PDB file of all heavy atoms in Angstrom:
ATOM      1  N   ALA A 262       0.409  -5.737 -14.052  1.00 92.00           N
ATOM      2  CA  ALA A 262      -0.164  -6.714 -13.272  1.00 92.00           C
ATOM      3  C   ALA A 262       0.237  -6.688 -11.845  1.00 92.00           C
ATOM      4  O   ALA A 262      -0.667  -7.011 -10.943  1.00 92.00           O
ATOM      5  CB  ALA A 262       0.201  -8.071 -13.876  1.00 92.00           C
ATOM      6  N   GLU A 263       1.522  -6.366 -11.591  1.00 91.00           N
ATOM      7  CA  GLU A 263       1.973  -6.232 -10.129  1.00 91.00           C
ATOM      8  C   GLU A 263       1.125  -5.119  -9.496  1.00 91.00           C
ATOM      9  O   GLU A 263       0.842  -5.266  -8.306  1.00 91.00           O
ATOM     10  CB  GLU A 263       3.493  -5.904 -10.140  1.00 91.00           C
ATOM     11  CG  GLU A 263       4.394  -7.029 -10.458  1.00 91.00           C
ATOM     12  CD  GLU A 263       4.372  -8.079  -9.422  1.00 91.00           C
ATOM     13  OE1 GLU A 263       3.771  -7.960  -8.388  1.00 91.00           O
ATOM     14  OE2 GLU A 263       4.958  -9.236  -9.739  1.00 91.00           O
ATOM     15  N   VAL A 264       0.899  -3.895 -10.262  1.00 94.00           N
ATOM     16  CA  VAL A 264       0.112  -2.948  -9.660  1.00 94.00           C
ATOM     17  C   VAL A 264      -1.356  -3.363  -9.333  1.00 94.00           C
ATOM     18  O   VAL A 264      -1.836  -3.148  -8.335  1.00 94.00           O
ATOM     19  CB  VAL A 264       0.165  -1.678 -10.502  1.00 94.00           C
ATOM     20  CG1 VAL A 264      -0.769  -0.636 -10.011  1.00 94.00           C
ATOM     21  CG2 VAL A 264       1.554  -1.206 -10.694  1.00 94.00           C
ATOM     22  N   LEU A 265      -1.940  -4.014 -10.321  1.00 94.00           N
ATOM     23  CA  LEU A 265      -3.275  -4.418 -10.136  1.00 94.00           C
ATOM     24  C   LEU A 265      -3.507  -5.416  -8.963  1.00 94.00           C
ATOM     25  O   LEU A 265      -4.492  -5.382  -8.315  1.00 94.00           O
ATOM     26  CB  LEU A 265      -3.738  -5.231 -11.440  1.00 94.00           C
ATOM     27  CG  LEU A 265      -3.962  -4.270 -12.800  1.00 94.00           C
ATOM     28  CD1 LEU A 265      -4.232  -5.305 -13.953  1.00 94.00           C
ATOM     29  CD2 LEU A 265      -5.014  -3.363 -12.589  1.00 94.00           C
ATOM     30  N   GLY A 266      -2.431  -6.190  -8.640  1.00 91.00           N
ATOM     31  CA  GLY A 266      -2.583  -7.045  -7.520  1.00 91.00           C
ATOM     32  C   GLY A 266      -2.480  -6.387  -6.264  1.00 91.00           C
ATOM     33  O   GLY A 266      -2.929  -6.996  -5.275  1.00 91.00           O
ATOM     34  N   GLN A 267      -2.155  -5.166  -6.128  1.00 92.00           N
ATOM     35  CA  GLN A 267      -2.148  -4.387  -4.837  1.00 92.00           C
ATOM     36  C   GLN A 267      -3.209  -3.290  -4.763  1.00 92.00           C
ATOM     37  O   GLN A 267      -3.275  -2.752  -3.823  1.00 92.00           O
ATOM     38  CB  GLN A 267      -0.675  -3.822  -4.764  1.00 92.00           C
ATOM     39  CG  GLN A 267       0.352  -4.735  -4.582  1.00 92.00           C
ATOM     40  CD  GLN A 267       1.574  -4.089  -4.052  1.00 92.00           C
ATOM     41  OE1 GLN A 267       1.694  -3.449  -2.993  1.00 92.00           O
ATOM     42  NE2 GLN A 267       2.739  -4.234  -4.803  1.00 92.00           N
ATOM     43  N   LEU A 268      -4.122  -3.339  -5.765  1.00 95.00           N
ATOM     44  CA  LEU A 268      -5.199  -2.339  -5.714  1.00 95.00           C
ATOM     45  C   LEU A 268      -6.332  -2.796  -4.861  1.00 95.00           C
ATOM     46  O   LEU A 268      -6.639  -4.044  -4.844  1.00 95.00           O
ATOM     47  CB  LEU A 268      -5.665  -1.987  -7.196  1.00 95.00           C
ATOM     48  CG  LEU A 268      -4.749  -1.391  -8.209  1.00 95.00           C
ATOM     49  CD1 LEU A 268      -5.527  -1.129  -9.489  1.00 95.00           C
ATOM     50  CD2 LEU A 268      -4.166  -0.055  -7.565  1.00 95.00           C
ATOM     51  N   ASP A 269      -7.050  -1.816  -4.130  1.00 95.00           N
ATOM     52  CA  ASP A 269      -8.243  -2.122  -3.558  1.00 95.00           C
ATOM     53  C   ASP A 269      -9.392  -2.010  -4.394  1.00 95.00           C
ATOM     54  O   ASP A 269     -10.354  -2.730  -4.436  1.00 95.00           O
ATOM     55  CB  ASP A 269      -8.421  -1.186  -2.342  1.00 95.00           C
ATOM     56  CG  ASP A 269      -7.242  -1.543  -1.324  1.00 95.00           C
ATOM     57  OD1 ASP A 269      -7.152  -2.695  -0.779  1.00 95.00           O
ATOM     58  OD2 ASP A 269      -6.589  -0.549  -0.984  1.00 95.00           O
ATOM     59  N   VAL A 270      -9.243  -0.946  -5.338  1.00 96.00           N
ATOM     60  CA  VAL A 270     -10.456  -0.569  -6.108  1.00 96.00           C
ATOM     61  C   VAL A 270      -9.804  -0.035  -7.498  1.00 96.00           C
ATOM     62  O   VAL A 270      -8.836   0.587  -7.556  1.00 96.00           O
ATOM     63  CB  VAL A 270     -11.290   0.625  -5.551  1.00 96.00           C
ATOM     64  CG1 VAL A 270     -12.442   0.956  -6.515  1.00 96.00           C
ATOM     65  CG2 VAL A 270     -11.825   0.191  -4.190  1.00 96.00           C
ATOM     66  N   GLY A 271     -10.493  -0.472  -8.512  1.00 97.00           N
ATOM     67  CA  GLY A 271     -10.198   0.079  -9.825  1.00 97.00           C
ATOM     68  C   GLY A 271     -11.333   0.871 -10.460  1.00 97.00           C
ATOM     69  O   GLY A 271     -12.494   0.525 -10.318  1.00 97.00           O
ATOM     70  N   VAL A 272     -10.975   1.966 -11.180  1.00 98.00           N
ATOM     71  CA  VAL A 272     -12.019   2.826 -11.722  1.00 98.00           C
ATOM     72  C   VAL A 272     -11.732   2.863 -13.280  1.00 98.00           C
ATOM     73  O   VAL A 272     -10.705   3.387 -13.674  1.00 98.00           O
ATOM     74  CB  VAL A 272     -11.939   4.250 -11.174  1.00 98.00           C
ATOM     75  CG1 VAL A 272     -13.105   5.153 -11.870  1.00 98.00           C
ATOM     76  CG2 VAL A 272     -12.340   4.244  -9.650  1.00 98.00           C
ATOM     77  N   LEU A 273     -12.708   2.360 -13.982  1.00 98.00           N
ATOM     78  CA  LEU A 273     -12.513   2.339 -15.492  1.00 98.00           C
ATOM     79  C   LEU A 273     -13.418   3.509 -15.980  1.00 98.00           C
ATOM     80  O   LEU A 273     -14.523   3.678 -15.780  1.00 98.00           O
ATOM     81  CB  LEU A 273     -13.138   1.048 -15.983  1.00 98.00           C
ATOM     82  CG  LEU A 273     -13.082   0.861 -17.544  1.00 98.00           C
ATOM     83  CD1 LEU A 273     -11.652   0.738 -17.903  1.00 98.00           C
ATOM     84  CD2 LEU A 273     -13.886  -0.399 -17.891  1.00 98.00           C
ATOM     85  N   VAL A 274     -12.693   4.513 -16.539  1.00 97.00           N
ATOM     86  CA  VAL A 274     -13.179   5.738 -17.218  1.00 97.00           C
ATOM     87  C   VAL A 274     -13.725   5.567 -18.597  1.00 97.00           C
ATOM     88  O   VAL A 274     -12.803   5.136 -19.360  1.00 97.00           O
ATOM     89  CB  VAL A 274     -12.292   6.970 -17.058  1.00 97.00           C
ATOM     90  CG1 VAL A 274     -12.998   8.227 -17.547  1.00 97.00           C
ATOM     91  CG2 VAL A 274     -11.752   7.125 -15.602  1.00 97.00           C
ATOM     92  N   VAL A 275     -14.955   5.674 -18.898  1.00 97.00           N
ATOM     93  CA  VAL A 275     -15.459   5.373 -20.159  1.00 97.00           C
ATOM     94  C   VAL A 275     -16.348   6.496 -20.653  1.00 97.00           C
ATOM     95  O   VAL A 275     -17.316   6.780 -20.117  1.00 97.00           O
ATOM     96  CB  VAL A 275     -16.432   4.067 -20.006  1.00 97.00           C
ATOM     97  CG1 VAL A 275     -16.899   3.716 -21.532  1.00 97.00           C
ATOM     98  CG2 VAL A 275     -15.646   2.880 -19.462  1.00 97.00           C
ATOM     99  N   PRO A 276     -15.926   6.986 -21.812  1.00 96.00           N
ATOM    100  CA  PRO A 276     -16.830   8.030 -22.442  1.00 96.00           C
ATOM    101  C   PRO A 276     -18.193   7.329 -22.937  1.00 96.00           C
ATOM    102  O   PRO A 276     -18.143   6.091 -23.281  1.00 96.00           O
ATOM    103  CB  PRO A 276     -16.045   8.494 -23.728  1.00 96.00           C
ATOM    104  CG  PRO A 276     -14.723   8.156 -23.411  1.00 96.00           C
ATOM    105  CD  PRO A 276     -14.685   6.820 -22.607  1.00 96.00           C
ATOM    106  N   ALA A 277     -19.191   7.971 -22.925  1.00 95.00           N
ATOM    107  CA  ALA A 277     -20.590   7.508 -23.344  1.00 95.00           C
ATOM    108  C   ALA A 277     -20.683   7.367 -24.801  1.00 95.00           C
ATOM    109  O   ALA A 277     -21.476   8.112 -25.480  1.00 95.00           O
ATOM    110  CB  ALA A 277     -21.611   8.297 -22.709  1.00 95.00           C
ATOM    111  N   GLU A 278     -19.909   6.472 -25.419  1.00 95.00           N
ATOM    112  CA  GLU A 278     -20.047   6.183 -26.772  1.00 95.00           C
ATOM    113  C   GLU A 278     -19.959   4.680 -27.051  1.00 95.00           C
ATOM    114  O   GLU A 278     -19.239   3.930 -26.299  1.00 95.00           O
ATOM    115  CB  GLU A 278     -18.755   6.750 -27.705  1.00 95.00           C
ATOM    116  CG  GLU A 278     -18.595   8.293 -27.258  1.00 95.00           C
ATOM    117  CD  GLU A 278     -17.225   8.744 -27.688  1.00 95.00           C
ATOM    118  OE1 GLU A 278     -16.413   7.897 -28.189  1.00 95.00           O
ATOM    119  OE2 GLU A 278     -16.794   9.958 -27.512  1.00 95.00           O
ATOM    120  N   LEU A 279     -20.696   4.164 -28.034  1.00 94.00           N
ATOM    121  CA  LEU A 279     -20.785   2.646 -28.161  1.00 94.00           C
ATOM    122  C   LEU A 279     -19.330   2.146 -28.528  1.00 94.00           C
ATOM    123  O   LEU A 279     -19.055   1.004 -28.066  1.00 94.00           O
ATOM    124  CB  LEU A 279     -21.798   2.439 -29.323  1.00 94.00           C
ATOM    125  CG  LEU A 279     -23.134   2.568 -28.868  1.00 94.00           C
ATOM    126  CD1 LEU A 279     -24.117   2.358 -30.133  1.00 94.00           C
ATOM    127  CD2 LEU A 279     -23.584   1.773 -27.731  1.00 94.00           C
TER     128      LEU A 279
END
Side-chain angles (χ1 to χ4, degrees):
E263 290 289 352
V264 176
L265 292 173
Q267 296 195 51
L268 295 182
D269 296 304
V270 181
V272 178
L273 182 65
V274 184
V275 183
E278 306 164 0
L279 288 178

